[in-house]
Amino acid sequence: GESVGLHLPTLSVQEGDNSIINCAYSNSASDYFIWYKQESGKGPQFIIDIRSNMDKRQGQRVTVLLNKTVKHLSLQIAATQPGDSAVYFCAENSGNTPLVFGKGTRLSVIA
Amino acid sequence: KAGVTQTPRYLIKTRGQQVTLSCSPISGHRSVSWYQQTPGQGLQFLFEYFSETQRNKGNFPGRFSGRQFSNSRSEMNVSTLELGDSALYLCASSPTGGYGYTFGSGTRLTVV
């Protein structure tokens, strides 16, 4: 079946630097993409989403980029802080189909 | 507004037993989805309920079942528990499904 995958399982960044987390997806019919953050002992927390009719969307310190040509999604976190340390998941779906999650990338922020 | 509430938070069961997990969605949300999260398999979709009807189902054995009540609260049941069922079970609610999912903190099930 279709799947969503991540390029890197772990990422370590210095506090204050920018972080980039990447995600590849294979379902060309997907039209909705989401990034979630999961801290230890908690459920996934919504960060930002983007629809397929857009290629960029910005939030507070976060930006999601969507490249439909190569089926690639990325999450950029500006001025990474220790509180950003968590596992980040990308997810995608189309219409009312279930969310399909990637395996996750662990982000570690070095103070 | 209150978030998605899952009970209990932690559960320890013995192989062969059955278990029921509960999820109360955000008020007004009619779609409830369940996911199993394990270190090896990540987040895997179990099923989705919308207006008391199962709308989508993942690739899990029939031992996993669920239901949704008229107030949108949902329960999932796992019968004849196996060691491999040990996982974090997450519930997510959405207004109508398809977008706007909010997750609960999950129920950590340990089968011994």
mmCIF file of all heavy atoms in Angstrom, chain A residues 32 36 38 41-44 46 51 89 93 95-103, chain B residues 9 35 37 40-41 43 45 48 55-56 88 90 97-101 103-105:
data_model
loop_
_atom_site.group_PDB
_atom_site.id
_atom_site.type_symbol
_atom_site.label_atom_id
_atom_site.label_comp_id
_atom_site.label_asym_id
_atom_site.label_seq_id
_atom_site.Cartn_x
_atom_site.Cartn_y
_atom_site.Cartn_z
ATOM 1 N N TYR A 32 -3.581 16.357 1.640
ATOM 2 C CA TYR A 32 -3.516 17.007 2.941
ATOM 3 C C TYR A 32 -2.358 16.418 3.700
ATOM 4 O O TYR A 32 -2.235 15.188 3.800
ATOM 5 C CB TYR A 32 -4.838 16.790 3.682
ATOM 6 C CG TYR A 32 -4.915 17.424 5.045
ATOM 7 C CD1 TYR A 32 -4.760 18.793 5.223
ATOM 8 C CD2 TYR A 32 -5.172 16.649 6.172
ATOM 9 C CE1 TYR A 32 -4.843 19.376 6.470
ATOM 10 C CE2 TYR A 32 -5.258 17.219 7.425
ATOM 11 C CZ TYR A 32 -5.098 18.584 7.576
ATOM 12 O OH TYR A 32 -5.193 19.153 8.818
ATOM 13 N N TYR A 36 3.266 16.492 13.060
ATOM 14 C CA TYR A 36 2.963 16.352 14.474
ATOM 15 C C TYR A 36 4.259 16.274 15.274
ATOM 16 O O TYR A 36 5.269 15.767 14.791
ATOM 17 C CB TYR A 36 2.166 15.065 14.746
ATOM 18 C CG TYR A 36 0.716 15.120 14.341
ATOM 19 C CD1 TYR A 36 0.307 14.633 13.101
ATOM 20 C CD2 TYR A 36 -0.255 15.632 15.193
ATOM 21 C CE1 TYR A 36 -1.029 14.661 12.729
ATOM 22 C CE2 TYR A 36 -1.592 15.663 14.829
ATOM 23 C CZ TYR A 36 -1.966 15.178 13.585
ATOM 24 O OH TYR A 36 -3.292 15.218 13.221
ATOM 25 N N GLN A 38 5.659 14.791 18.987
ATOM 26 C CA GLN A 38 5.294 13.924 20.095
ATOM 27 C C GLN A 38 6.394 13.927 21.141
ATOM 28 O O GLN A 38 7.522 13.507 20.870
ATOM 29 C CB GLN A 38 5.017 12.493 19.620
ATOM 30 C CG GLN A 38 4.463 11.600 20.728
ATOM 31 C CD GLN A 38 4.056 10.226 20.224
ATOM 32 O OE1 GLN A 38 4.577 9.728 19.234
ATOM 33 N NE2 GLN A 38 3.112 9.587 20.910
ATOM 34 N N GLY A 41 5.656 10.369 26.595
ATOM 35 C CA GLY A 41 4.495 10.202 27.462
ATOM 36 C C GLY A 41 3.252 10.942 27.008
ATOM 37 O O GLY A 41 2.239 10.944 27.708
ATOM 38 N N LYS A 42 3.333 11.567 25.839
ATOM 39 C CA LYS A 42 2.184 12.335 25.344
ATOM 40 C C LYS A 42 1.763 11.849 23.971
ATOM 41 O O LYS A 42 2.503 11.146 23.291
ATOM 42 C CB LYS A 42 2.534 13.818 25.275
ATOM 43 C CG LYS A 42 2.879 14.447 26.616
ATOM 44 C CD LYS A 42 3.143 15.929 26.456
ATOM 45 C CE LYS A 42 3.484 16.577 27.795
ATOM 46 N NZ LYS A 42 3.757 18.039 27.652
ATOM 47 N N GLY A 43 0.572 12.248 23.573
ATOM 48 C CA GLY A 43 0.122 11.948 22.233
ATOM 49 C C GLY A 43 0.683 12.950 21.239
ATOM 50 O O GLY A 43 1.222 13.986 21.623
ATOM 51 N N PRO A 44 0.571 12.655 19.955
ATOM 52 C CA PRO A 44 1.045 13.597 18.932
ATOM 53 C C PRO A 44 0.313 14.934 19.025
ATOM 54 O O PRO A 44 -0.907 14.963 19.209
ATOM 55 C CB PRO A 44 0.711 12.871 17.616
ATOM 56 C CG PRO A 44 0.651 11.426 17.978
ATOM 57 C CD PRO A 44 0.082 11.406 19.368
ATOM 58 N N PHE A 46 -0.464 18.540 17.097
ATOM 59 C CA PHE A 46 -0.479 19.219 15.802
ATOM 60 C C PHE A 46 0.484 20.397 15.790
ATOM 61 O O PHE A 46 0.531 21.192 16.725
ATOM 62 C CB PHE A 46 -1.894 19.704 15.509
ATOM 63 C CG PHE A 46 -2.027 20.573 14.296
ATOM 64 C CD1 PHE A 46 -2.259 20.000 13.053
ATOM 65 C CD2 PHE A 46 -1.909 21.945 14.380
ATOM 66 C CE1 PHE A 46 -2.390 20.796 11.932
ATOM 67 C CE2 PHE A 46 -2.036 22.748 13.259
ATOM 68 C CZ PHE A 46 -2.283 22.168 12.031
ATOM 69 N N ARG A 51 -2.230 21.990 2.477
ATOM 70 C CA ARG A 51 -3.004 21.287 1.451
ATOM 71 C C ARG A 51 -2.206 21.275 0.152
ATOM 72 O O ARG A 51 -1.302 22.083 -0.053
ATOM 73 C CB ARG A 51 -4.359 21.948 1.270
ATOM 74 C CG ARG A 51 -5.233 21.780 2.508
ATOM 75 C CD ARG A 51 -6.715 21.806 2.203
ATOM 76 N NE ARG A 51 -7.503 21.463 3.389
ATOM 77 C CZ ARG A 51 -7.879 20.229 3.680
ATOM 78 N NH1 ARG A 51 -7.546 19.235 2.884
ATOM 79 N NH2 ARG A 51 -8.593 19.995 4.760
ATOM 80 N N PHE A 89 6.550 13.625 13.395
ATOM 81 C CA PHE A 89 5.941 12.750 12.400
ATOM 82 C C PHE A 89 5.285 13.573 11.301
ATOM 83 O O PHE A 89 4.629 14.574 11.578
ATOM 84 C CB PHE A 89 4.830 11.897 13.033
ATOM 85 C CG PHE A 89 5.287 10.912 14.059
ATOM 86 C CD1 PHE A 89 5.286 11.232 15.403
ATOM 87 C CD2 PHE A 89 5.703 9.646 13.675
ATOM 88 C CE1 PHE A 89 5.699 10.320 16.354
ATOM 89 C CE2 PHE A 89 6.111 8.720 14.624
ATOM 90 C CZ PHE A 89 6.112 9.054 15.958
ATOM 91 N N ASN A 93 -3.122 12.295 4.024
ATOM 92 C CA ASN A 93 -4.322 11.577 3.627
ATOM 93 C C ASN A 93 -4.969 12.309 2.448
ATOM 94 O O ASN A 93 -4.465 13.329 1.971
ATOM 95 C CB ASN A 93 -5.310 11.403 4.791
ATOM 96 C CG ASN A 93 -6.029 12.680 5.180
ATOM 97 O OD1 ASN A 93 -5.693 13.776 4.726
ATOM 98 N ND2 ASN A 93 -7.032 12.558 6.032
ATOM 99 N N GLY A 95 -9.123 13.141 1.157
ATOM 100 C CA GLY A 95 -10.534 12.982 1.474
ATOM 101 C C GLY A 95 -10.717 12.489 2.885
ATOM 102 O O GLY A 95 -10.111 13.002 3.825
ATOM 103 N N ASN A 96 -11.533 11.471 3.064
ATOM 104 C CA ASN A 96 -11.792 10.916 4.387
ATOM 105 C C ASN A 96 -11.006 9.639 4.643
ATOM 106 O O ASN A 96 -11.373 8.830 5.491
ATOM 107 C CB ASN A 96 -13.284 10.639 4.563
ATOM 108 C CG ASN A 96 -14.065 11.910 4.807
ATOM 109 O OD1 ASN A 96 -13.559 12.848 5.413
ATOM 110 N ND2 ASN A 96 -15.283 11.961 4.318
ATOM 111 N N THR A 97 -9.923 9.437 3.917
ATOM 112 C CA THR A 97 -9.089 8.269 4.185
ATOM 113 C C THR A 97 -8.307 8.493 5.471
ATOM 114 O O THR A 97 -8.078 9.636 5.876
ATOM 115 C CB THR A 97 -8.104 8.011 3.037
ATOM 116 O OG1 THR A 97 -7.222 9.133 2.908
ATOM 117 C CG2 THR A 97 -8.838 7.777 1.731
ATOM 118 N N PRO A 98 -7.895 7.416 6.139
ATOM 119 C CA PRO A 98 -7.165 7.580 7.403
ATOM 120 C C PRO A 98 -5.810 8.254 7.190
ATOM 121 O O PRO A 98 -5.207 8.169 6.124
ATOM 122 C CB PRO A 98 -6.960 6.127 7.863
ATOM 123 C CG PRO A 98 -7.971 5.331 7.125
ATOM 124 C CD PRO A 98 -8.167 5.999 5.817
ATOM 125 N N LEU A 99 -5.351 8.909 8.225
ATOM 126 C CA LEU A 99 -4.007 9.465 8.196
ATOM 127 C C LEU A 99 -2.989 8.326 8.120
ATOM 128 O O LEU A 99 -3.096 7.340 8.833
ATOM 129 C CB LEU A 99 -3.730 10.273 9.463
ATOM 130 C CG LEU A 99 -4.392 11.637 9.614
ATOM 131 C CD1 LEU A 99 -4.047 12.228 10.980
ATOM 132 C CD2 LEU A 99 -3.952 12.573 8.510
ATOM 133 N N VAL A 100 -2.000 8.489 7.260
ATOM 134 C CA VAL A 100 -0.881 7.558 7.176
ATOM 135 C C VAL A 100 0.337 8.291 7.705
ATOM 136 O O VAL A 100 0.681 9.374 7.219
ATOM 137 C CB VAL A 100 -0.642 7.089 5.723
ATOM 138 C CG1 VAL A 100 0.617 6.220 5.653
ATOM 139 C CG2 VAL A 100 -1.856 6.328 5.209
ATOM 140 N N PHE A 101 0.986 7.701 8.691
ATOM 141 C CA PHE A 101 2.103 8.355 9.360
ATOM 142 C C PHE A 101 3.447 7.812 8.878
ATOM 143 O O PHE A 101 3.579 6.628 8.569
ATOM 144 C CB PHE A 101 2.026 8.125 10.870
ATOM 145 C CG PHE A 101 1.031 8.991 11.562
ATOM 146 C CD1 PHE A 101 -0.319 8.654 11.594
ATOM 147 C CD2 PHE A 101 1.430 10.153 12.194
ATOM 148 C CE1 PHE A 101 -1.240 9.454 12.227
ATOM 149 C CE2 PHE A 101 0.510 10.963 12.843
ATOM 150 C CZ PHE A 101 -0.831 10.613 12.852
ATOM 151 N N GLY A 102 4.435 8.685 8.866
ATOM 152 C CA GLY A 102 5.805 8.259 8.683
ATOM 153 C C GLY A 102 6.329 7.657 9.974
ATOM 154 O O GLY A 102 5.654 7.686 11.008
ATOM 155 N N LYS A 103 7.561 7.135 9.928
ATOM 156 C CA LYS A 103 8.130 6.454 11.086
ATOM 157 C C LYS A 103 8.577 7.419 12.171
ATOM 158 O O LYS A 103 8.721 7.032 13.328
ATOM 159 C CB LYS A 103 9.326 5.590 10.644
ATOM 160 C CG LYS A 103 8.920 4.386 9.796
ATOM 161 C CD LYS A 103 8.053 3.413 10.558
ATOM 162 C CE LYS A 103 7.761 2.176 9.731
ATOM 163 N NZ LYS A 103 6.818 1.255 10.411
ATOM 164 N N ARG B 9 -5.033 5.614 31.592
ATOM 165 C CA ARG B 9 -3.737 6.002 31.039
ATOM 166 C C ARG B 9 -2.791 4.813 30.941
ATOM 167 O O ARG B 9 -1.994 4.719 30.019
ATOM 168 C CB ARG B 9 -3.080 7.085 31.896
ATOM 169 C CG ARG B 9 -3.687 8.468 31.749
ATOM 170 C CD ARG B 9 -3.542 9.018 30.329
ATOM 171 N NE ARG B 9 -2.205 8.915 29.767
ATOM 172 C CZ ARG B 9 -1.233 9.800 29.961
ATOM 173 N NH1 ARG B 9 -1.431 10.850 30.730
ATOM 174 N NH2 ARG B 9 -0.054 9.646 29.391
ATOM 175 N N TYR B 35 -5.384 4.492 16.815
ATOM 176 C CA TYR B 35 -4.089 4.100 16.291
ATOM 177 C C TYR B 35 -3.338 3.292 17.343
ATOM 178 O O TYR B 35 -3.470 3.525 18.535
ATOM 179 C CB TYR B 35 -3.236 5.325 15.924
ATOM 180 C CG TYR B 35 -3.708 6.052 14.685
ATOM 181 C CD1 TYR B 35 -4.760 6.949 14.754
ATOM 182 C CD2 TYR B 35 -3.103 5.818 13.457
ATOM 183 C CE1 TYR B 35 -5.200 7.614 13.618
ATOM 184 C CE2 TYR B 35 -3.536 6.480 12.319
ATOM 185 C CZ TYR B 35 -4.591 7.373 12.408
ATOM 186 O OH TYR B 35 -5.026 8.016 11.283
ATOM 187 N N GLN B 37 0.518 2.456 18.506
ATOM 188 C CA GLN B 37 1.893 2.929 18.333
ATOM 189 C C GLN B 37 2.863 2.003 19.049
ATOM 190 O O GLN B 37 2.765 1.780 20.257
ATOM 191 C CB GLN B 37 2.058 4.352 18.866
ATOM 192 C CG GLN B 37 3.438 4.935 18.588
ATOM 193 C CD GLN B 37 3.577 6.383 19.010
ATOM 194 O OE1 GLN B 37 2.888 6.863 19.904
ATOM 195 N NE2 GLN B 37 4.456 7.115 18.339
ATOM 196 N N GLY B 40 8.542 -0.512 16.934
ATOM 197 C CA GLY B 40 8.919 -1.150 15.685
ATOM 198 C C GLY B 40 8.068 -0.778 14.490
ATOM 199 O O GLY B 40 8.568 -0.667 13.371
ATOM 200 N N GLN B 41 6.798 -0.563 14.705
ATOM 201 C CA GLN B 41 5.869 -0.319 13.600
ATOM 202 C C GLN B 41 5.378 1.118 13.506
ATOM 203 O O GLN B 41 4.692 1.468 12.545
ATOM 204 C CB GLN B 41 4.657 -1.254 13.726
ATOM 205 C CG GLN B 41 4.993 -2.733 13.652
ATOM 206 C CD GLN B 41 5.620 -3.101 12.328
ATOM 207 O OE1 GLN B 41 5.181 -2.647 11.271
ATOM 208 N NE2 GLN B 41 6.667 -3.915 12.368
ATOM 209 N N LEU B 43 3.116 4.415 14.102
ATOM 210 C CA LEU B 43 1.687 4.639 14.278
ATOM 211 C C LEU B 43 0.926 3.912 13.184
ATOM 212 O O LEU B 43 1.065 4.224 11.999
ATOM 213 C CB LEU B 43 1.380 6.137 14.203
ATOM 214 C CG LEU B 43 1.644 6.936 15.463
ATOM 215 C CD1 LEU B 43 2.177 8.315 15.129
ATOM 216 C CD2 LEU B 43 0.363 7.044 16.269
ATOM 217 N N PHE B 45 -2.888 2.624 11.816
ATOM 218 C CA PHE B 45 -4.311 2.904 11.902
ATOM 219 C C PHE B 45 -5.099 1.634 12.224
ATOM 220 O O PHE B 45 -4.900 0.584 11.601
ATOM 221 C CB PHE B 45 -4.789 3.485 10.564
ATOM 222 C CG PHE B 45 -6.272 3.638 10.444
ATOM 223 C CD1 PHE B 45 -6.933 4.647 11.114
ATOM 224 C CD2 PHE B 45 -6.991 2.767 9.642
ATOM 225 C CE1 PHE B 45 -8.304 4.790 10.987
ATOM 226 C CE2 PHE B 45 -8.359 2.896 9.503
ATOM 227 C CZ PHE B 45 -9.023 3.907 10.183
ATOM 228 N N GLU B 48 -11.739 3.866 12.200
ATOM 229 C CA GLU B 48 -12.344 5.176 12.371
ATOM 230 C C GLU B 48 -13.854 5.011 12.462
ATOM 231 O O GLU B 48 -14.454 4.232 11.707
ATOM 232 C CB GLU B 48 -12.027 6.114 11.204
ATOM 233 C CG GLU B 48 -12.650 7.501 11.378
ATOM 234 C CD GLU B 48 -12.839 8.245 10.072
ATOM 235 O OE1 GLU B 48 -12.569 7.676 8.998
ATOM 236 O OE2 GLU B 48 -13.281 9.413 10.137
ATOM 237 N N ARG B 55 -16.207 3.697 9.553
ATOM 238 C CA ARG B 55 -16.038 4.230 8.200
ATOM 239 C C ARG B 55 -14.781 3.694 7.527
ATOM 240 O O ARG B 55 -14.742 3.543 6.319
ATOM 241 C CB ARG B 55 -16.007 5.758 8.245
ATOM 242 C CG ARG B 55 -15.907 6.413 6.894
ATOM 243 C CD ARG B 55 -16.386 7.846 6.922
ATOM 244 N NE ARG B 55 -15.534 8.718 7.715
ATOM 245 C CZ ARG B 55 -15.764 10.028 7.855
ATOM 246 N NH1 ARG B 55 -16.796 10.595 7.273
ATOM 247 N NH2 ARG B 55 -14.974 10.772 8.597
ATOM 248 N N ASN B 56 -13.737 3.459 8.308
ATOM 249 C CA ASN B 56 -12.497 2.918 7.768
ATOM 250 C C ASN B 56 -11.951 1.886 8.742
ATOM 251 O O ASN B 56 -12.155 1.996 9.958
ATOM 252 C CB ASN B 56 -11.451 4.027 7.565
ATOM 253 C CG ASN B 56 -11.790 4.957 6.429
ATOM 254 O OD1 ASN B 56 -11.859 4.547 5.272
ATOM 255 N ND2 ASN B 56 -12.014 6.226 6.742
ATOM 256 N N LEU B 88 1.157 1.650 22.824
ATOM 257 C CA LEU B 88 0.422 2.863 23.184
ATOM 258 C C LEU B 88 -0.745 2.971 22.211
ATOM 259 O O LEU B 88 -0.546 2.977 20.995
ATOM 260 C CB LEU B 88 1.321 4.093 23.075
ATOM 261 C CG LEU B 88 0.676 5.437 23.414
ATOM 262 C CD1 LEU B 88 0.312 5.506 24.904
ATOM 263 C CD2 LEU B 88 1.616 6.589 23.050
ATOM 264 N N LEU B 90 -3.661 5.167 20.765
ATOM 265 C CA LEU B 90 -4.000 6.580 20.650
ATOM 266 C C LEU B 90 -5.342 6.762 19.978
ATOM 267 O O LEU B 90 -5.673 6.054 19.023
ATOM 268 C CB LEU B 90 -2.931 7.312 19.838
ATOM 269 C CG LEU B 90 -1.562 7.441 20.502
ATOM 270 C CD1 LEU B 90 -0.481 7.703 19.463
ATOM 271 C CD2 LEU B 90 -1.581 8.557 21.531
ATOM 272 N N GLY B 97 -13.759 14.146 10.179
ATOM 273 C CA GLY B 97 -12.794 13.248 9.575
ATOM 274 C C GLY B 97 -12.108 13.918 8.400
ATOM 275 O O GLY B 97 -12.638 14.880 7.837
ATOM 276 N N GLY B 98 -10.919 13.438 8.058
ATOM 277 C CA GLY B 98 -10.215 13.980 6.907
ATOM 278 C C GLY B 98 -9.268 15.121 7.224
ATOM 279 O O GLY B 98 -8.316 15.360 6.479
ATOM 280 N N TYR B 99 -9.502 15.844 8.287
ATOM 281 C CA TYR B 99 -8.646 16.960 8.663
ATOM 282 C C TYR B 99 -8.884 17.301 10.126
ATOM 283 O O TYR B 99 -9.815 16.783 10.742
ATOM 284 C CB TYR B 99 -8.959 18.194 7.797
ATOM 285 C CG TYR B 99 -10.265 18.850 8.179
ATOM 286 C CD1 TYR B 99 -10.288 19.961 9.020
ATOM 287 C CD2 TYR B 99 -11.473 18.328 7.750
ATOM 288 C CE1 TYR B 99 -11.485 20.532 9.408
ATOM 289 C CE2 TYR B 99 -12.682 18.897 8.144
ATOM 290 C CZ TYR B 99 -12.672 20.001 8.967
ATOM 291 O OH TYR B 99 -13.856 20.562 9.354
ATOM 292 N N GLY B 100 -8.024 18.162 10.668
ATOM 293 C CA GLY B 100 -8.299 18.686 12.006
ATOM 294 C C GLY B 100 -8.281 17.665 13.117
ATOM 295 O O GLY B 100 -9.068 17.736 14.052
ATOM 296 N N TYR B 101 -7.371 16.677 13.009
ATOM 297 C CA TYR B 101 -7.295 15.631 14.027
ATOM 298 C C TYR B 101 -6.578 16.145 15.275
ATOM 299 O O TYR B 101 -5.519 16.727 15.188
ATOM 300 C CB TYR B 101 -6.537 14.426 13.484
ATOM 301 C CG TYR B 101 -7.235 13.711 12.355
ATOM 302 C CD1 TYR B 101 -6.963 14.038 11.035
ATOM 303 C CD2 TYR B 101 -8.157 12.706 12.605
ATOM 304 C CE1 TYR B 101 -7.594 13.390 9.993
ATOM 305 C CE2 TYR B 101 -8.796 12.043 11.570
ATOM 306 C CZ TYR B 101 -8.510 12.389 10.266
ATOM 307 O OH TYR B 101 -9.136 11.748 9.242
ATOM 308 N N PHE B 103 -5.174 14.537 18.944
ATOM 309 C CA PHE B 103 -4.909 13.276 19.616
ATOM 310 C C PHE B 103 -5.023 13.402 21.127
ATOM 311 O O PHE B 103 -4.732 14.454 21.710
ATOM 312 C CB PHE B 103 -3.501 12.778 19.273
ATOM 313 C CG PHE B 103 -3.393 12.128 17.938
ATOM 314 C CD1 PHE B 103 -3.258 12.888 16.792
ATOM 315 C CD2 PHE B 103 -3.436 10.742 17.817
ATOM 316 C CE1 PHE B 103 -3.173 12.290 15.533
ATOM 317 C CE2 PHE B 103 -3.344 10.132 16.577
ATOM 318 C CZ PHE B 103 -3.219 10.905 15.438
ATOM 319 N N GLY B 104 -5.410 12.291 21.743
ATOM 320 C CA GLY B 104 -5.342 12.189 23.188
ATOM 321 C C GLY B 104 -3.944 11.771 23.612
ATOM 322 O O GLY B 104 -3.055 11.585 22.767
ATOM 323 N N SER B 105 -3.746 11.608 24.913
ATOM 324 C CA SER B 105 -2.434 11.219 25.429
ATOM 325 C C SER B 105 -2.183 9.720 25.360
ATOM 326 O O SER B 105 -1.063 9.273 25.569
ATOM 327 C CB SER B 105 -2.281 11.680 26.872
ATOM 328 O OG SER B 105 -2.279 13.096 26.940
#
